[in-house]
Amino acid sequence: MTDLDQLESQSVYILREAFNRIDRLAALWSIGKDSNVLLWLARKAFFGKVPFPVVQLDTGMELPEVYEFRDMVTRDWGLDLVIEQCPPESEMDPTLPPATRAAARKTEGLKNLLRREQYQGIMVGIRRDEQATRAKERVFSPRALDGAWDFKDQPAEFWDHYKTRFAEGTHVRIHPLLHWTELDIWRYSKREEIPIVPLYFAREGKRYRSLGEKNITFPVDSSAASIDEIISELEVTRTPERAGRSMDNETEDAFERLRSSGYM
Amino acid sequence: MSPLIPASQRRQARIVIVGHVDHGKSTLIGRLLNDTGSLPDGKVEAVREMSRRRGMPFEWSFVMDALQAERDQGITIDTTQIHFKTERRPYVIIDAPGHTEFLKNMVTGASSADAALLVIDAGEGALEQSRRHAYLLHLLGVKQVAVIVNKMDMVDFSQARFDHVAAEIRAYLNGIGVAPGVILPVSARHGDNIASRSGNLAWYDGPTVIEALDGFLPAAPEDELPLRLPIQDVYKPDERRILAGRIETGRLRVGDTLHFAPNNRTAKVVGIEAWNAAPAISAAAGQSVGITLDQRIFVERGHIASLPAERPVEAHRLTVRLFWLASKPLETGRAYTLKLATAEHRVTVEKIVEVVDIDDLGVAAADRVGRNEIANVVLHSRSLVAVDLAIDLPRTGRGVLLDGHDVVGGFIVTGADAVAERNLQRVEHAVSPDERALSNGHRGAVLWLTGLSGAGKSTLAMGLERTLFERGRQVYVLDGDGVRQGLNGDLGFSPADRSENIRRVAEAARLFAEAGMIVVTALISPTRQDRARARAIGGDLFHEIHVKADLDTCEQRDPKGLYRKARAGEIPEFTGVSAPYEEPQAAELVVETGRLGIEEAVGELVGYAERVTGLKYPSDAVQGRGEGI
């Protein structure tokens, strides 16, 4: 087994555990490189078809290429796509810094979705190497109904025995890609020929390294115009992946505040 | 491994850093990241600026502590994982908290590690928590351990001090069966012996921390061990019926005959199924696979596939070495859900053999296991458990206990009573249990009624006997008083005699039940330990039923006038008055006679008895959540 085989196998194991143990399950799809891999792995785990709904938390602020890509992949992969319109920024906590406030719209959209659809499990394609608070995550991470993450009292994960039983009023985030790195995502996307939003490839010296809403995400300097070039770039870069995400960097704990109240 | 291979193509090693609080784990990691050029640009400056704003001196550990509360308190609360690479290969460093109250987070971090660094303060030596972490590494199956004796700058880089600490920890590790790879002196704060050698430690000629990491071997391949494929689910994506699961050990090939435990079926592998991949003819340890069989045998989640010649043990009774995480202690007689690979079983704690003293590795008898303690415990399962000893096959020889929604402990299996002798006994009989059941129209069972004197056990037992008899069932009541007039006429009322009384009734009840009868016993049986023993004797046939009424109600009823005598001091040891009644914690059924009328209570019991003794034929139906996909 190569290291990519091993990562794939572990994620498939997690997806199958989630599907077996959790009654009402959905996956979040941001249309970015990580959640594309997540859905690809679900097709591997369940022999071609993603057997649960796939949710886009839509703020209406994605770039046009993202919407175009979404519609193409939904059709080609036969996805059961649910589009959740997020509430406007004017309804967000005014004490949050501006970009953080814009990002919080997705948390509120997710809460509305959970209230309405009563999902017990939500799969999310986050990775530990993206951001320091995500490095603290569990594979199966229980949340209060309002989405709050109690990072001070997380369940034990002995070996691969995840917490899959919950009291009324809680749900669980499942993170099948937690143990992947950004580099792994690209190497796997290349190997499997997974389709990718073209915004990740450099044009005129800039590319998106982490894809988010157009008002709070910015392209970074890069000349990497193909997957191979992205891989070479990542092997030497010391620029953090989320450098182009303004909400991470507004205050010392901006992202932690977002995450502990339910952000992905 | 040649350093010429690009880093991205080399197998990653997962290293957990453990040790007592404040012995310098986070500092060591911060230092490792910095000295190998692994920190992102701007990180050190950001942390310096953050320290300045807060008026704190700069610490290397700050680059690790991600949470506001961690930075505020200067401690690591939860485990975290950081990627970095040396010239030799990429690593994931798992930082585990040292505080006792976050031990479950340490366990979470360490249970996925290939190797460990145990950090010990040169001045303080191996304190209790260092020893506990070392023990847990052993229990979790982390076999490669290097010991880092940190803060050598605080002991003037003294070789004598290092030798003393090294000898102490080596003796301890040997005591638990761990051979430390290397023991090395460092000063993480100042960078001595982290990525490069230091003049301050000129007397030391062993590896640096980076060299020690690079010296760990990749996890040994497990495909040479016997095949174990625990089934996760059954899918029907089209006309195929695919059994899905991850191969934990060994290897399987198309054409192999597989045995499924514990339901004892066999079938041949006709395909290893995959989407968007070339068809495979074999698969090995670590792979999540889907297989199709030549026969539609009954297989479901929890079953373990193996090759027929190398099957797992099948047992009702397991001896485990257990690490307890919950604040509510583990006690004899309590029931938990045991999770082993993908199977779940309801188990009762039959016996706590001993609790291990982490400091001197001594053992002591105990009737409970407290939070963060390690103990040897005997568990009894009503259903048959397919299991391996951890020493043979660690991955199918370990598991967790659940209490309600929560994981409350982890264990490795050190012993399992194979069911061979029970099968033998069945073979010796001329009539099989199935034949008896078919002839009677129901199965045998022991319905063990327990509860206070006056709770209504005998009344309910007789009502149950009458109703079942009228429905044509083979049923008999073994009443406590009746038994004492004959079978147990030689026994008095000392605790030892009461215990023996219960044991004999349990043995007699089992014989009746094996003969196909529904046996109802009505005994106070006040202690959990005695009932756990009765359950062990009865095995699958045993059902504990708590006939429950509060003491006031029972005392008002006082059908035999015993409470009155007890209150008058005429009966010295009377349950509920001068001797305790230990309520069942996981009875199969609770009948509340304080709340229900007799008719209603008997009705509940009859319903339960019919359910558990009714004939069930093994269904050949496809089971699994994946039916619809």
Side-chain angles (χ1 to χ4, degrees):
Chain A
M1 281 179 103
T2 66
D3 58 342
L4 286 181
D5 292 336
Q6 210 162 23
L7 286 167
E8 176 189 83
S9 175
Q10 177 69 6
S11 299
V12 164
Y13 181 84
I14 294 165
L15 282 159
R16 288 173 174 174
E17 284 297 285
F19 184 60
N20 184 280
R21 304 320 286 165
I22 310 292
D23 267 337
R24 289 181 61 84
L25 191 65
L28 291 190
W29 186 32
S30 70
I31 341 276
K33 61 188 190 296
D34 304 305
S35 50
N36 290 350
V37 166
L38 177 67
L39 297 186
W40 187 265
L41 288 165
R43 298 174 85 197
K44 288 244 173 182
F46 307 109
F47 302 95
K49 181 151 172 47
V50 178
F52 35 75
V54 168
V55 179
Q56 185 207 1
L57 300 172
D58 192 8
T59 55
M61 296 298 284
E62 302 293 347
L63 291 149
E65 291 89 337
V66 172
Y67 290 111
E68 214 172 284
F69 182 89
R70 175 192 73 189
D71 296 340
M72 177 191 78
V73 170
T74 303
R75 187 183 62 236
D76 292 353
W77 294 7
L79 299 177
D80 173 10
L81 178 68
V82 175
I83 297 169
E84 178 71 23
Q85 300 296 341
C86 298
E89 204 175 314
S90 56
E91 289 176 19
M92 298 302 114
D93 178 357
T95 70
L96 288 170
T100 310
R101 195 159 63 229
R105 293 180 60 199
K106 287 205 170 179
T107 319
E108 294 310 312
L110 178 60
K111 285 181 198 169
N112 289 343
L113 175 85
L114 287 172
R115 259 193 299 272
R116 197 179 62 246
E117 301 291 337
Q118 306 283 311
Y119 287 123
Q120 289 163 359
I122 294 286
M123 296 201 256
V124 187
I126 66 163
R127 294 177 279 109
R128 285 198 179 101
D129 76 327
E130 282 177 276
Q131 210 282 332
T133 65
R134 287 180 176 168
K136 303 262 176 193
E137 269 291 0
R138 297 291 186 266
V139 178
F140 280 64
S141 177
R143 303 299 164 118
L145 204 54
D146 63 0
W149 177 40
D150 185 1
F151 54 78
K152 289 183 191 167
D153 186 21
Q154 300 199 67
E157 286 186 348
F158 260 104
W159 304 298
D160 289 339
H161 292 292
Y162 307 120
K163 181 176 170 73
T164 55
R165 301 173 173 208
F166 304 95
E168 259 331 278
T170 51
H171 75 283
V172 61
R173 296 272 179 84
I174 299 128
H175 302 132
L177 299 180
L178 207 51
H179 51 301
W180 292 56
T181 65
E182 186 184 7
L183 198 50
D184 295 329
I185 292 289
W186 284 111
R187 290 167 54 227
Y188 187 72
S189 299
K190 176 182 157 67
R191 182 180 98 172
E192 300 284 318
E193 300 178 354
I194 302 172
I196 290 147
V197 180
L199 293 165
Y200 285 110
F201 301 115
R203 269 191 324 210
E204 294 159 18
K206 295 263 184 198
R207 74 178 189 93
Y208 285 89
R209 189 157 155 206
S210 172
L211 208 50
E213 287 89 338
K214 57 190 172 195
N215 51 336
I216 51 170
T217 312
F218 303 96
V220 296
D221 291 338
S222 169
S223 60
S226 67
I227 292 197
D228 283 327
E229 287 170 12
I230 290 175
I231 291 170
S232 306
E233 178 189 284
L234 292 180
E235 285 189 355
V236 294
T237 187
R238 290 181 64 175
T239 307
E241 181 178 0
R242 294 176 64 90
R245 298 278 205 147
S246 32
M247 77 235 204
D248 288 27
N249 308 306
E250 281 179 326
T251 63
E252 185 184 319
D253 65 343
F255 197 66
E256 180 180 333
R257 280 181 68 187
L258 266 178
R259 291 215 80 228
S260 54
S261 64
Y263 193 77
M264 282 59 74
Chain B
M1 210 178 282
S2 159
L4 295 174
I5 302 171
S8 62
Q9 285 166 35
R10 277 177 253 145
R11 187 65 65 84
Q12 181 188 71
R14 300 172 58 82
I15 312 291
V16 67
I17 319 272
V18 299
H20 200 87
V21 62
D22 284 340
H23 282 196
K25 295 180 296 297
S26 298
T27 304
L28 173 68
I29 299 169
R31 218 15 201 218
L32 272 175
L33 295 175
N34 184 66
D35 294 7
T36 54
S38 304
L39 289 174
D41 286 341
K43 180 73 186 183
V44 174
E45 290 70 24
V47 173
R48 280 195 198 284
E49 172 57 20
M50 188 271 294
S51 308
R52 191 191 58 76
R53 263 203 324 268
R54 292 172 167 239
M56 297 153 75
F58 173 82
E59 294 281 349
W60 283 107
S61 57
F62 293 161
V63 306
M64 288 296 299
D65 291 332
L67 302 170
Q68 193 77 25
E70 292 180 324
R71 288 187 297 263
D72 287 347
Q73 299 177 34
I75 59 166
T76 305
I77 291 174
D78 204 343
T79 180
T80 196
Q81 305 203 357
I82 300 278
H83 294 258
F84 89 109
K85 55 194 176 215
T86 66
E87 283 183 7
R88 195 173 166 90
R89 64 176 163 215
Y91 289 90
V92 180
I93 292 288
I94 304 162
D95 181 23
H99 278 80
T100 324
E101 59 262 49
F102 304 127
L103 215 56
K104 72 173 178 188
N105 297 339
M106 177 272 172
V107 164
T108 299
S111 72
S112 66
D114 300 320
L117 299 181
L118 173 62
V119 179
I120 295 176
D121 184 319
E124 296 198 317
L127 300 183
E128 191 215 349
Q129 204 63 350
S130 327
R131 293 165 188 249
R132 195 178 299 274
H133 283 191
Y135 203 106
L136 285 173
L137 289 175
H138 169 58
L139 206 89
L140 290 165
V142 181
K143 293 202 178 70
Q144 306 183 75
V145 180
V147 178
I148 309 291
V149 180
N150 188 26
K151 304 194 189 180
M152 286 301 295
D153 53 312
M154 306 294 278
V155 294
D156 298 327
F157 297 100
S158 154
Q159 181 176 5
R161 180 63 198 162
F162 170 76
D163 288 344
H164 175 79
V165 173
E168 192 184 58
I169 190 64
R170 183 175 284 114
Y172 184 80
L173 290 171
N174 288 339
I176 58 175
V178 175
V182 286
I183 303 184
L184 61 161
V186 311
S187 165
R189 181 179 303 229
H190 301 291
D192 298 275
N193 218 5
I194 304 298
S196 59
R197 254 147 241 295
S198 152
N200 294 322
L201 295 164
W203 47 266
Y204 170 79
D205 58 4
T208 62
V209 175
I210 296 289
E211 287 163 352
L213 289 177
D214 286 344
F216 286 131
L217 298 169
E222 293 185 317
D223 40 357
E224 299 309 318
L225 297 171
L227 171 69
R228 294 291 182 266
L229 168 60
I231 302 303
Q232 268 184 294
D233 213 335
V234 182
Y235 304 133
K236 276 194 65 64
D238 36 52
E239 75 291 349
R240 292 173 296 173
R241 176 174 177 248
I242 302 177
L243 308 185
R246 182 175 61 194
I247 302 176
E248 297 296 341
T249 48
R251 165 180 292 283
L252 66 79
R253 295 169 188 81
V254 172
D256 280 346
T257 296
L258 298 185
H259 173 266
F260 292 86
N263 66 328
N264 197 28
R265 299 294 184 93
T266 55
K268 202 178 270 187
V269 179
V270 293
I272 297 169
E273 310 290 326
W275 171 79
N276 200 40
I281 53 159
S282 76
Q287 282 182 262
S288 286
V289 296
I291 57 170
T292 42
L293 302 177
D294 66 338
Q295 291 174 59
R296 283 180 63 93
I297 57 169
F298 175 68
V299 175
E300 64 179 347
R301 179 179 168 88
H303 291 166
I304 294 183
S306 65
L307 298 177
E310 302 172 323
R311 302 177 190 184
V313 178
E314 295 182 1
H316 286 288
R317 187 176 289 116
L318 307 179
T319 306
V320 301
R321 184 159 307 142
L322 168 113
F323 172 58
W324 192 248
L325 284 173
S327 46
K328 188 169 148 193
L330 170 134
E331 287 177 293
T332 312
R334 280 216 173 131
Y336 302 96
T337 299
L338 172 143
K339 196 158 173 274
L340 207 152
T342 53
E344 291 189 2
H345 302 271
R346 198 73 186 146
V347 295
T348 310
V349 179
E350 191 175 302
K351 189 175 174 196
I352 296 168
V353 182
E354 61 207 8
V355 171
V356 178
D357 183 311
I358 293 300
D359 269 330
D360 61 12
L361 300 178
V363 292
D367 56 4
R368 47 166 50 197
V369 182
R371 183 169 175 225
N372 298 335
E373 285 187 328
I374 289 162
N376 294 317
V377 168
V378 178
L379 302 174
H380 183 267
S381 166
R382 294 161 52 74
S383 51
L384 209 50
V385 183
V387 64
D388 291 292
L389 298 189
I391 196 164
D392 302 327
L393 291 178
R395 301 182 69 90
T396 39
R398 67 193 187 193
V400 295
L401 292 182
L402 308 178
D403 189 7
H405 302 295
D406 296 320
V407 172
V408 288
F411 62 84
I412 59 172
V413 178
T414 57
D417 293 354
V419 289
E421 71 261 47
R422 288 205 68 154
N423 289 336
L424 261 183
Q425 188 194 5
R426 285 185 189 175
V427 174
E428 280 170 7
H429 278 281
V431 182
S432 77
D434 283 352
E435 286 176 294
R436 287 184 208 279
L438 279 175
S439 165
N440 289 334
H442 61 84
R443 295 188 177 277
V446 177
L447 303 178
W448 189 277
L449 273 48
T450 170
L452 290 166
S453 176
K457 296 181 299 299
S458 295
T459 312
L460 293 186
M462 298 310 170
L464 179 63
E465 187 180 41
R466 188 74 223 166
T467 311
L468 289 179
F469 177 76
E470 285 169 2
R471 293 187 184 184
R473 311 289 185 257
Q474 304 284 340
V475 57
Y476 188 73
V477 171
L478 273 176
D479 185 73
D481 290 345
V483 173
R484 279 192 172 275
Q485 284 160 22
L487 176 66
N488 293 349
D490 59 328
L491 298 178
F493 287 87
S494 69
D497 276 4
R498 294 180 76 162
S499 213
E500 175 61 11
N501 180 48
I502 287 165
R503 188 190 71 80
R504 287 190 201 170
V505 172
E507 289 285 358
R510 188 191 69 173
L511 290 175
F512 271 87
E514 282 183 348
M517 310 276 288
I518 299 169
V519 190
V520 185
T521 70
L523 280 82
I524 298 173
S525 44
T527 71
R528 275 180 206 133
Q529 197 164 347
D530 282 343
R531 292 194 304 266
R533 191 158 63 155
R535 182 186 288 279
I537 291 166
D540 270 0
L541 299 165
F542 184 91
H543 302 262
E544 187 173 9
I545 292 161
H546 184 194
V547 179
K548 191 175 179 181
D550 60 39
L551 186 62
D552 283 349
T553 311
C554 295
E555 199 159 351
Q556 274 163 28
R557 290 177 186 160
D558 204 9
K560 299 173 191 166
L562 294 174
Y563 283 99
R564 197 170 36 75
K565 282 192 193 166
R567 292 287 179 202
E570 290 168 37
I571 308 175
E573 290 268 300
F574 191 74
T575 303
V577 177
S578 47
Y581 177 74
E582 297 172 8
E583 287 207 348
Q585 270 148 339
E588 274 77 22
L589 180 70
V590 179
V591 181
E592 297 197 25
T593 57
R595 194 168 55 76
L596 299 177
I598 290 177
E599 291 295 312
E600 225 178 332
V602 170
E604 270 195 18
L605 269 173
V606 169
Y608 179 81
E610 296 278 33
R611 247 186 349 267
V612 298
T613 62
L615 290 188
K616 278 182 297 202
Y617 296 96
S619 148
D620 196 30
V622 175
Q623 295 216 343
R625 295 278 311 284
E627 179 72 31
I629 74 165

